[in-house]
Amino acid sequence: MLIEENKQLVRRFYAAIDNGDVDALDDLVAEDYLDHSPPPFPGFGTGLEGLKQIFHVFWEATPGTHEIQDQVAEGDKVATRLLCRGTHEGDLPGIPATGNQLEITATVIHRIENGKLAEKWSDKDVLRFLQQLGVVPPLGMPNE
């Protein structure tokens, strides 16, 4: 039963993000949360407070959804395959708003401790993300 509870915890985490509910993170995430794959932008804190900072930046700049496409759990870890969609409505660090639609995939592993998310590892399609923001040209296209 613990495995199903851990999977549900991760689902509640993504639902909170999609609903803009930063307060829910207090119940879902450990104070000393460790993100082994932080966003490609400098200047964020660590732990739960750093996650809240990241949440605010991305919620305001790229509101959207996380569609869970697959989820597998064993022991204290949950692996989730996601399709992330949003719109670049606000500025990201060093990247002015473009209005572009965003869609990337990610595979995320969370470790759960004492009923809260304690660690995260992720493999995100950062290249596609930066291409959709116009920061990196599409592959095979000459630079303009």
Side-chain angles (χ1 to χ4, degrees):
M1 191 61 178
L2 185 59
I3 287 176
E4 286 305 314
E5 291 172 10
N6 288 347
K7 288 166 70 174
Q8 184 59 36
L9 172 66
V10 172
R11 285 191 219 95
R12 287 194 326 263
F13 172 75
Y14 287 113
I17 291 172
D18 290 350
N19 291 323
D21 187 2
V22 72
D23 293 332
L25 298 183
D26 292 329
D27 295 327
L28 304 171
V29 179
E31 283 289 327
D32 59 350
Y33 177 77
L34 180 56
D35 186 347
H36 295 278
S37 313
F41 306 112
F44 295 111
T46 60
L48 175 59
E49 291 308 312
L51 181 62
K52 287 180 179 181
Q53 292 170 357
I54 292 165
F55 178 98
H56 282 293
V57 167
F58 277 92
W59 175 252
E60 292 174 11
T62 62
T65 61
H66 297 80
E67 177 185 326
I68 294 176
Q69 297 188 316
D70 204 8
Q71 198 171 50
V72 179
E74 184 174 325
D76 64 350
K77 293 189 179 71
V78 176
T80 307
R81 188 170 57 88
L82 300 164
L83 178 61
C84 311
R85 292 184 177 110
T87 304
H88 186 207
E89 295 178 356
D91 296 345
L92 287 167
I95 307 171
T98 62
N100 292 350
Q101 295 297 306
L102 306 172
E103 181 177 282
I104 65 166
T105 58
T107 302
V108 183
I109 299 172
H110 284 98
R111 185 179 67 80
I112 289 85
E113 183 178 294
N114 299 320
K116 291 191 175 190
L117 303 178
E119 283 185 90
K120 181 197 94 173
W121 298 262
S122 64
D123 183 12
K124 303 174 271 271
D125 190 352
V126 176
L127 175 60
R128 185 173 179 198
F129 177 66
L130 294 174
Q131 287 173 329
Q132 292 172 12
L133 294 174
V135 175
V136 174
L139 296 177
M141 302 296 291
N143 292 334
E144 294 183 31

